[in-house]
Amino acid sequence: MHDTIFLISGEFRIDGRFIKGAPHGNGHIHETYLAEFMEPGGLARYIMQKINREVFKNPAAVMENILMVTGHIKRFYENREGSHGKTLTVIPGKNGSPIAMDVMGNPWRCFLFMENTMTLDTAEKPAHAFEAGSAFGEFQKCLAGLDSSHLHEAIPHFHNSSMRYDNFIRAVEDDRFNRGIECRREIDSICSIEHVFRFFQEKIKKGSLPVRTVHNDTKINNILFDTGTEKQVCVIDLDTVMGGLAHYDFGDLMRTTLSSSPEDEMDTRGIEVSMEMFRALTQGYIKTAGEFLTKAEKELLPISGVIMTMESAARFLTDFLSGDVYFKIHRNGHNLHRCRAQLALAMAMEKKIDEMNRYIEVIS
Ligand code: GN1
Ligand code: MG
């Protein structure tokens, strides 16, 4: 691994001596490393990522999107106070391209590491949920001027949960690995609420919700927090920034901030939803997003958590039934455990939905 990072780092415009590289973060898709260099100005660190080509069929298109998005954000904040480091910086390859190939023909990319920042896998206190909401509200606001038709669709139909449901049914019917027997209850739970999966697509078809440029992968560990102040610094993992509903972002934020249990918690009895976290998340989000969201959008914020959590449950179970080909797993049955935790979480959200709806009415 050390050699791989050493070799690939030589392909990027980094003016320094390689010191070391180590795996970094908890992403489910790419291989991510943190690499250190001694440069004329001192120690410098970079993120090196091997792009998952099974998931992103067109890495060049993904990088074009990222350059467009980061360029837009940098221009948005230009000359504003406190705007330093509001987005990622792509380090180009030696030939100027944002992608470098390793000897095996795998695509890699490189970002400047943002010093004095940290990531969180769950919100440990309401202030974290507030910051998470504020990070993505600000992100959406900042990209409101970037028409999503200018971006490539990095993964077609990414949050089309209606289509996700159909893919899930296909995996259940194929049952290629004979795993259906291990998850009958989970399959039945998902099948019993097919209408939930159709909900947003019907709204889009009717034109009752606007398509905006959104992040599409807003789990809390895609936010960098300042290590000192614990305030949000910027949003990362820009691979799936595309057209979508504001709810895709808010719903996934609910999924990863409202419960103190990790996404793959095996003891699902302890999975609960905190109203205090919901209030903090919503306040942070509405602070900026409240300026542009329509009344209809605001009203559907609470239910987006249930829908996006169910979508994740179906995606994890689809992958379990298909032989774990999409999400990285770290133990047997990992995708099934993730699915169970999502089902428990969606149910816990459902129980508080009236209370959440009332809160939205009051603050918006
Ligand atoms: C993946 O890349 P990462 O780990 O932030 C996935 C998301 C899922 C998430 C579940 C491109 O996100 O859609 O919600 O795992 N990203 C892609 O943890 O599929
Ligand atoms: Mg990702």
Side-chain angles (χ1 to χ4, degrees):
M1 188 274 300
H2 207 266
D3 289 351
T4 315
I5 306 301
F6 168 67
L7 285 175
I8 197 65
S9 65
E11 299 299 317
F12 290 97
R13 285 189 188 158
I14 297 174
D15 177 23
R17 182 171 53 81
F18 177 80
I19 298 176
K20 63 179 180 192
H24 184 76
N26 293 329
H28 293 343
I29 308 291
H30 308 296
E31 275 179 38
T32 307
Y33 302 90
L34 178 60
E36 266 183 45
F37 294 79
M38 188 46 81
E39 295 188 343
L43 203 69
R45 301 201 284 176
Y46 297 87
I47 291 290
M48 307 265 163
Q49 251 181 346
K50 183 164 118 187
I51 301 176
N52 183 329
R53 280 197 90 151
E54 293 301 316
V55 172
F56 293 98
K57 309 285 181 208
N58 186 350
V62 171
M63 292 314 290
E64 259 181 50
N65 280 357
I66 293 181
L67 287 172
M68 193 181 293
V69 168
T70 52
H72 189 91
I73 296 175
K74 284 183 178 166
R75 280 191 300 278
F76 181 90
Y77 286 109
E78 224 157 50
N79 307 325
R80 289 182 203 209
E81 215 184 310
S83 65
H84 177 70
K86 286 307 288 178
T87 194
L88 295 172
T89 300
V90 175
I91 304 296
K94 288 250 155 90
N95 60 2
S97 152
I99 292 180
M101 293 294 183
D102 67 15
V103 285
M104 308 293 284
N106 298 305
W108 287 72
R109 63 186 173 191
C110 177
F111 297 102
L112 202 59
F113 178 72
M114 313 251 302
E115 296 294 343
N116 307 315
T117 63
M118 60 174 188
T119 55
L120 298 167
D121 286 322
T122 52
E124 288 153 17
K125 50 189 179 193
H128 291 156
F130 179 89
E131 288 301 313
S134 125
F136 282 105
E138 198 178 322
F139 183 80
Q140 287 180 346
K141 178 181 165 180
C142 174
L143 291 184
L146 175 62
D147 189 330
S148 63
S149 66
H150 294 136
L151 295 163
H152 301 279
E153 207 178 354
I155 302 181
H157 313 293
F158 189 56
H159 280 310
N160 182 334
S161 47
S162 183
M163 210 174 262
R164 294 278 184 195
Y165 180 83
D166 297 336
N167 293 343
F168 161 73
I169 295 296
R170 217 165 300 129
V172 172
E173 284 167 1
D174 290 351
D175 198 12
R176 279 185 52 210
F177 295 85
N178 244 330
R179 289 178 169 182
I181 186 95
E182 292 172 59
C183 51
R184 279 269 62 97
R185 278 201 8 218
E186 290 75 17
I187 292 173
D188 290 346
S189 303
I190 293 173
C191 290
S192 70
I193 51 155
E194 181 182 340
H195 62 283
V196 168
F197 290 86
R198 310 282 183 214
F199 186 82
F200 278 144
Q201 269 57 53
E202 278 160 20
K203 296 271 177 207
I204 294 174
K205 231 185 277 165
K206 279 192 201 138
S208 42
L209 292 174
V211 171
R212 306 180 178 279
T213 299
V214 297
H215 184 279
N216 286 306
D217 186 4
T218 59
K219 58 183 187 184
I220 191 169
N221 66 13
N222 281 334
I223 299 165
L224 297 180
F225 292 85
D226 184 288
T227 35
T229 62
E230 300 192 5
K231 299 253 183 241
Q232 57 101 355
V233 175
C234 86
V235 158
I236 58 171
D237 193 349
L238 306 172
D239 294 332
T240 50
V241 178
M242 300 180 268
L245 300 182
H247 304 86
Y248 298 162
D249 286 359
F250 190 78
D252 213 47
L253 272 170
M254 283 176 67
R255 183 177 78 82
T256 57
T257 52
L258 301 196
S259 154
S260 56
S261 302
E263 181 182 69
D264 56 358
E265 175 63 65
M266 289 181 72
D267 182 5
T268 56
R269 289 165 310 178
I271 296 180
E272 273 172 21
V273 158
S274 152
M275 270 309 288
E276 204 186 353
M277 291 290 189
F278 176 77
R279 285 192 289 269
L281 173 71
T282 309
Q283 280 165 22
Y285 181 64
I286 289 283
K287 193 181 64 167
T288 39
E291 293 171 23
F292 57 83
L293 292 179
T294 64
K295 187 166 176 283
E297 284 182 298
K298 285 180 194 160
E299 281 169 6
L300 294 176
L301 290 176
I303 198 64
S304 73
V306 177
I307 298 175
M308 298 310 287
T309 305
M310 284 307 299
E311 184 191 281
S312 290
R315 289 180 66 195
F316 288 137
L317 201 55
T318 303
D319 201 31
F320 175 69
L321 292 165
S322 313
D324 306 309
V325 288
Y326 189 94
F327 297 105
K328 273 192 234 160
I329 56 163
H330 307 292
R331 56 177 186 251
N332 284 338
H334 206 164
N335 275 315
L336 176 56
H337 304 149
R338 288 173 177 145
C339 166
R340 286 186 179 140
Q342 302 313 292
L343 289 175
L345 181 57
M347 225 182 314
M349 281 182 197
E350 180 85 67
K351 280 193 196 136
K352 301 220 164 140
I353 206 83
D354 291 340
E355 204 177 333
M356 291 180 188
N357 284 334
R358 280 196 298 275
Y359 184 69
I360 290 288
E361 236 174 79
V362 172
I363 75 155
S364 61

